[in-house]
Amino acid sequence: MDIIVCVKRVPDTETRIRFSDGATAIEPEGVKYILSPYDEFALEAALRASEASEGGQVTVMTLGEEDSQETLRAALAAGADAAVLLSAQGSVTMDGLATAKALASELKNRKEQLVLFGVKAGDDDQQQVGPMVATLLERPCASNVVSFEMGEGVIRCDRAVEGGTEVVEMDLPAIVTLTKGAFELRYASLKGIMAAKKKPLEVKDADLAQARLTVERLDYPPERAQGRIVGEGVEAVPELVRLLRDEAKVL
Amino acid sequence: MGDVLAIAEQRDGRIRPVANEVVTVAASVAEGFGGTAHAVLLGGAGVGEHAGDLGGFGAEVVHVGEDPALEGHLPETHAAVIAEVVRSHGYTVVLFGATALGKDLAPRVAARIDAPLASDVTRVETEGDRVVGVRPIYGGKALARVGFEASPAVLSLRPNAFGTNGSQAAGRIEPFTPTIPEGVRTRIVDFQAAQSGSVDVDEASVIVSGGRGMKGAEHWSLLEDLRGALGPGTALGASRAVVDAGWRPHGEQVGQTGKTVAPRLYFAVGISGAIQHLAGMRTSQTIVAINKDPDAPIFAVADYGIVGDAFDVLPGLTAEIAALRAEG
Ligand SMILES: Cc1cc2nc3c(=O)[nH]c(=O)nc-3n(C[C@H](O)[C@H](O)[C@H](O)COP(=O)(O)OP(=O)(O)OC[C@H]3O[C@@H](n4cnc5c(N)ncnc54)[C@H](O)[C@@H]3O)c2cc1C
Ligand SMILES: Nc1ncnc2c1ncn2[C@@H]1O[C@H](COP(=O)(O)O)[C@@H](O)[C@H]1O
């Protein structure tokens, strides 16, 4: 079965984020970019599903700028068969609905029965693009999925929900957003990296609408007030409890 | 106009605390606009029984939609009904709680009503007739102040980041007959409960988190005892190292690739304080760290720290807190 995975290029979680006063975006210099962490899980889930079904292409797709090609090549090196860059005129913003519309307008003409997303992107943390695409395409969607299994015209997903695991079954075509699963990620081998250079990467113009959710300003989070070491070992416990009760007033 | 709609979440027919928080924010936004706050509560028969209580947090009107199809949480169905309520009343702002359910539902509603969505907002303000939200991005390394070029504006609010403001008022209940969409292609076939009675880490007011310093799954009873002493509303959390080692389920993971939480009190026990862990908990009100390494980065964000061996400190801490709570 053919599967398409929507992925995003985001700053490495370790990267220091810098921006100037009054800025609405970060300074790109010195920022290392990676495939968004949950999108790695989605890609891994897709590769496993295609291996299990013996055949079937895994395509990765992103809406982004030229530099996203690097991210797509990394996904190809990890095992994806083909890549699509929807080249955004103007920048991709935090407005997930604008992103979802651009992705949906491409997806509606493609024949993959299963579209995978990360549950949230490592930069904006909006946790919205997958279910929005599903709603726009009028396809069923299961979010926060740990693992899934394909059946005859259906997909069965284990979702991590409050208080336990919910098992849902959806008719295909369907959309799934992935959280961390109980599997190890594979890393690109040298062979994979070489092979990736020859895999198809298609670049298309995207039609990305004007953002209607706009960043007006970025601020650094307030420094937490300097904390204090109450003491060492179990002897410090009574003082800690006193401070929690009388000073912090949280007990 | 300038009316604000709060989506009130219920579970098993009971209104959840997060609903009171969302209604409180709705009331303050509505006040800024000179409008009124409404709430909508959906569920099976009888769900509306206590709906009037939401008035105590500022909802002048509570729309109650009861239908057997709304008893479970099929998000497609709920989203369709909520979108219909939004459309028929013309709200300028729609607020969800950024719980697991809310995060699944809000984008579906936003897409249906063609409105932009800001998720997991930690502050909401009004500026004249505009609503502005503040939301952490890049794992909490920056705060984005966001505005909306469309109406309605949809926001989901991080639980515990706002608090509640209650009174004795009662809301006016307006029952309506929801139109249930047909042809829903999602079926819930099973639910496997984790531990019964346990509070979810996203919404807990107190969290006891353990890291690799706990040395193994078999030592979690020490953290469970502390949770027990802290009373109801306390949840267990974990670092990714612990989850990757299989000591605890991923649902408990706090951090960039886990839950983002803002409890009143957060205990980090045997957790070093990696940047990705801090991403999930740095907006907690009070942070306590217990770590045997005085240079562990967690102490830089902790309000109070004890340098010491968790295996020595935990039993003493549990006993002291239990004694305090027993005093009353
Ligand atoms: C893309 C990405 C995403 C990530 N997402 C997350 C995430 O969501 N959440 C997360 O937590 N991490 C995440 N991480 C991992 C993160 O970088 C750290 O590896 C992880 O948080 C470390 O967990 P830890 O603090 O439990 O373990 P360690 O870093 O090993 O720290 C253990 C601590 O315990 C202390 N200790 C040891 N013995 C004792 C004792 N007897 N008593 C008291 N203290 C003791 C030590 O001094 C040390 O500080 C992510 C990493 C990446 C690359
Ligand atoms: N620009 C993009 N291109 C392709 N996929 C995206 C893009 N932005 C977000 N996604 C997908 O949507 C998921 C959730 O993103 P978000 O809603 O922004 O948190 C990501 O994990 C990706 O799978």
Side-chain angles (χ1 to χ4, degrees):
Chain A
M1 193 183 74
D2 294 345
I3 302 175
I4 185 158
V5 189
C6 290
V7 299
K8 191 177 189 191
R9 172 183 169 85
V10 303
D12 189 337
T13 52
E14 300 275 356
T15 289
R16 214 174 127 219
I17 297 297
R18 287 173 307 140
F19 46 87
S20 50
D21 236 20
T24 59
I26 59 167
E27 287 165 17
E29 292 79 43
V31 175
K32 185 182 163 220
Y33 285 87
I34 56 166
L35 182 64
S36 186
Y38 286 104
D39 300 356
E40 284 193 305
F41 298 132
L43 175 59
E44 180 64 35
L47 295 173
R48 281 173 192 244
S50 105
E51 284 158 8
S53 73
E54 290 165 28
Q57 284 239 321
V58 174
T59 302
V60 284
M61 177 162 94
T62 194
L63 171 75
E65 291 160 51
E66 248 345 87
D67 50 12
S68 289
Q69 288 206 23
E70 188 195 352
T71 314
L72 292 174
R73 288 280 172 214
L76 292 171
D81 300 297
V84 179
L85 170 62
L86 298 177
S87 179
Q89 318 296 308
S91 50
V92 177
T93 67
M94 196 190 277
D95 185 352
L97 190 51
T99 299
K101 285 176 182 173
L103 295 173
S105 84
E106 174 66 16
L107 288 167
K108 72 170 190 291
N109 298 320
R110 298 187 61 102
K111 54 182 190 338
E112 286 92 353
Q113 296 288 293
L114 181 60
V115 188
L116 303 186
F117 288 83
V119 67
K120 64 179 174 185
D123 50 359
D124 292 339
D125 264 7
Q126 278 274 60
Q127 201 161 334
Q128 55 181 234
V129 172
M132 281 175 167
V133 168
T135 306
L136 295 170
L137 295 176
E138 297 182 32
R139 294 185 195 171
C141 172
S143 68
N144 217 37
V145 167
V146 181
S147 65
F148 60 80
E149 231 174 78
M150 307 306 302
E152 248 338 286
V154 297
I155 179 170
R156 193 179 259 247
C157 304
D158 282 358
R159 300 182 58 222
V161 298
E162 290 172 276
T165 304
E166 184 184 270
V167 185
V168 299
E169 193 179 85
M170 300 187 290
D171 298 339
L172 294 173
I175 288 183
V176 170
T177 80
L178 272 294
T179 185
K180 186 178 187 297
F183 45 64
E184 293 285 317
L185 294 174
R186 66 191 71 191
Y187 288 96
S189 61
L190 193 59
K191 204 167 135 233
I193 294 167
M194 297 310 289
K197 295 192 175 132
K198 298 200 197 78
K199 291 179 178 171
L201 192 164
E202 185 187 1
V203 182
K204 303 177 94 174
D205 281 344
D207 82 61
L208 181 59
Q210 184 77 30
R212 295 179 301 158
L213 176 70
T214 52
V215 176
E216 301 184 344
R217 197 176 74 221
L218 293 182
D219 286 300
Y220 290 102
E223 289 288 327
R224 292 192 69 94
Q226 183 59 47
R228 87 179 90 140
I229 303 284
V230 177
E232 282 184 29
V234 70
E235 288 72 43
V237 162
E239 178 63 0
L240 172 68
V241 171
R242 190 192 67 75
L243 288 166
L244 291 175
R245 185 188 57 192
D246 300 340
E247 189 177 83
K249 300 194 165 45
V250 287
L251 282 184
Chain B
M1 280 302 286
D3 290 345
V4 179
L5 181 67
I7 314 305
E9 190 173 319
Q10 53 87 8
R11 182 142 140 194
D12 301 330
R14 274 199 303 277
I15 296 174
R16 309 189 74 181
V18 65
N20 301 335
E21 201 173 2
V22 175
V23 170
T24 299
V25 176
S28 97
V29 173
E31 197 186 324
F33 285 168
T36 53
H38 292 193
V40 59
L41 178 66
L42 305 179
V47 77
E49 196 183 338
H50 300 291
D53 296 356
L54 292 168
F57 299 93
E60 288 191 20
V61 175
V62 185
H63 304 282
V64 175
E66 296 185 353
D67 192 287
L70 295 169
E71 202 166 314
H73 275 286
L74 266 182
E76 274 174 86
T77 308
H78 280 252
V81 173
I82 292 168
E84 184 188 287
V85 173
V86 175
R87 272 197 224 103
S88 58
H89 294 262
Y91 296 100
T92 49
V93 177
V94 178
L95 301 176
F96 289 81
T99 57
L101 280 175
K103 285 181 190 155
D104 186 54
L105 198 51
R108 300 175 194 252
V109 172
R112 277 176 180 270
I113 61 175
D114 193 25
L117 163 65
S119 305
D120 215 11
V121 165
T122 54
R123 209 163 74 218
V124 177
E125 289 167 18
T126 54
E127 270 178 3
D129 60 356
R130 308 181 336 113
V131 65
V132 178
V134 174
R135 50 185 311 273
I137 56 173
Y138 299 113
K141 290 182 225 169
L143 298 176
R145 189 177 171 84
V146 297
F148 299 82
E149 312 286 327
S151 178
V154 187
L155 300 92
S156 70
L157 312 180
R158 181 175 296 180
N160 295 324
F162 295 86
T164 53
N165 199 351
S167 72
Q168 291 300 309
R172 186 172 81 242
I173 296 181
E174 288 193 359
F176 71 100
T177 310
T179 312
I180 303 301
E182 280 170 28
V184 171
R185 290 144 302 169
T186 308
R187 297 164 291 279
I188 300 176
V189 291
D190 194 12
F191 179 76
Q192 291 138 12
Q195 255 165 20
S196 60
S198 61
V199 190
D200 298 315
V201 67
D202 320 49
E203 275 180 73
S205 54
V206 180
I207 296 173
V208 176
S209 276
R212 186 151 37 201
M214 290 303 297
K215 307 263 192 298
E218 65 277 18
H219 302 304
W220 243 256
S221 59
L222 289 170
L223 298 173
E224 275 159 15
D225 291 347
L226 177 56
R227 174 181 67 171
L230 287 159
T234 307
L236 291 178
S239 72
R240 172 149 164 193
V242 160
V243 173
D244 284 351
W247 300 350
R248 302 300 300 178
H250 181 252
E252 291 181 5
Q253 184 178 316
V254 172
Q256 191 134 19
T257 44
K259 302 283 168 59
T260 306
V261 298
R264 179 159 52 83
L265 178 57
Y266 187 91
F267 288 90
V269 187
I271 292 178
S272 59
I275 187 86
Q276 297 92 352
H277 188 79
L278 303 186
M281 46 64 81
R282 67 182 307 151
T283 58
S284 303
Q285 192 184 321
T286 298
I287 298 171
V288 175
I290 300 168
N291 197 301
K292 68 176 187 192
D293 173 6
D295 298 321
I298 191 74
F299 285 123
V301 298
D303 299 280
Y304 305 107
I306 292 184
V307 177
D309 188 331
F311 296 88
D312 287 341
V313 175
L314 281 173
L317 182 59
T318 301
E320 189 82 14
I321 288 174
L324 179 75
R325 286 179 59 91
E327 278 170 33

